Each structure stands twice: as C-alpha cells, then as structure tokens.
Amino acid sequence: MKFCCPNPPEPPCGEDDGRRFFAQFAVQSSPPSGSELPMLVYFQEGEQIRLEQDSQIILPPGYLYLINYLFLAIPEADGYMQIIPKINNSLRLLYASYAPAGSVGRNATASGSFTTNEALTQEAALSFHLTYPPTVRNIDISGAISVTPVIKI
C-alpha cells in the first residue's frame, strides 16, 4: 500500500522510508498530587518515540506531533483532578483538563488532544502533571496517551 500525500509536507509514515513510528503509553497508578504521572509503554511502532524515567515521553526532532490523552480517576465525592501536559518541564495550561467528580458518583474523566511543534529542532520531553485538592486523600487513575507524528517539518 502506498500513501498519496501532497508535497509538501512529506507524510511521516510512508512505506519503506524508515519514518514509520508512533506510540501509546498507559497509566495505572495512585500518585500524589503535584506529581508527574508514571507511564508504561502500551505499544510502540519504531524506537524513535521513547519513555524515559517512567514519566517522560521523548519526542524526536523534526516533526509536528498529535498528542491525545484520556484519563479516568476515582477521587473523593465532590473532589476533582486536573491534568496539565508539560513540554520541556513547562506547564502548558492551554492543553490542560479539569475534571470534577459528582457529589454522588466519584468518577472523573479528563481528556485532551493537541498538536505541538516543540520538537522542531531538538528532541522534546512530554509529561503529564496531576493535581487534586487536599480533601482528596488518594486517587486511583488509569488512562492512555497516544503520540503520532503528523508531518515532517
């Protein structure tokens, strides 16, 4: 199968061109508020996108990336959680997700999708910062993060 894409830009995942890579990472943890979410590699095509120190996704340079995330947590009733993506240790509030729990139900869901060109000239580190109020004693969170190069820049 061949890709038919207009030039420019070049497709990042053309047949036999050595640039076919993408990854998905899983989260299943009970981390403290104010910490980075620990992740595991769920699946990975190619070795370019990698996980470092269990909480940073390393994006290789030269691409525009599409990042998708979805988290389900169980805070206390009337609690909340906030997920803030961090790129190169800088919080990106524009991509943040605030997720309140109901007064009866305790589930909270946070999701988001964004593109980034932060890895334009050098690799970039992506992580996800979790916060919740002091009234929440513990939070069980699970979810997934997908990373896909969209175009070569």
Side-chain angles (χ1 to χ4, degrees):
M1 172 188 259
K2 293 215 180 244
F3 290 97
C4 296
C5 297
N7 278 330
E10 286 184 42
C13 299
E15 183 179 310
D16 298 327
D17 66 1
R19 290 184 284 137
R20 183 175 170 85
F21 62 97
F22 46 87
Q24 188 172 54
F25 302 89
V27 172
Q28 189 169 11
S29 184
S30 297
S33 182
S35 66
E36 309 310 311
L37 290 175
M39 296 176 252
L40 301 166
V41 175
Y42 185 66
F43 72 80
Q44 185 173 9
E45 178 73 28
E47 296 178 6
Q48 294 89 333
I49 300 169
R50 66 186 191 280
L51 185 62
E52 275 190 4
Q53 302 170 4
D54 91 346
S55 64
Q56 288 190 333
I57 299 167
I58 304 301
L59 308 173
Y63 296 89
L64 174 71
Y65 289 93
L66 174 62
I67 313 296
N68 296 299
Y69 65 89
L70 174 63
F71 297 106
L72 173 65
I74 305 172
E76 307 290 328
D78 293 322
Y80 67 86
M81 71 167 172
Q82 185 174 24
I83 302 290
I84 307 172
K86 287 175 74 174
I87 301 174
N88 294 333
N89 289 319
S90 176
L91 293 171
R92 302 308 167 116
L93 297 176
L94 182 62
Y95 311 136
S97 185
Y98 172 79
S103 58
V104 176
R106 294 180 44 201
N107 292 339
T109 304
S111 63
S113 182
F114 62 94
T115 58
T116 181
N117 64 355
E118 293 283 333
L120 181 62
T121 58
Q122 59 188 4
E123 69 181 21
L126 171 68
S127 59
F128 290 83
H129 189 75
L130 170 69
T131 57
Y132 49 85
T135 56
V136 174
R137 295 172 301 222
N138 181 45
I139 195 166
D140 294 325
I141 187 168
S142 60
I145 301 146
S146 296
V147 180
T148 308
V150 179
I151 60 170
K152 183 165 178 58
I153 302 175

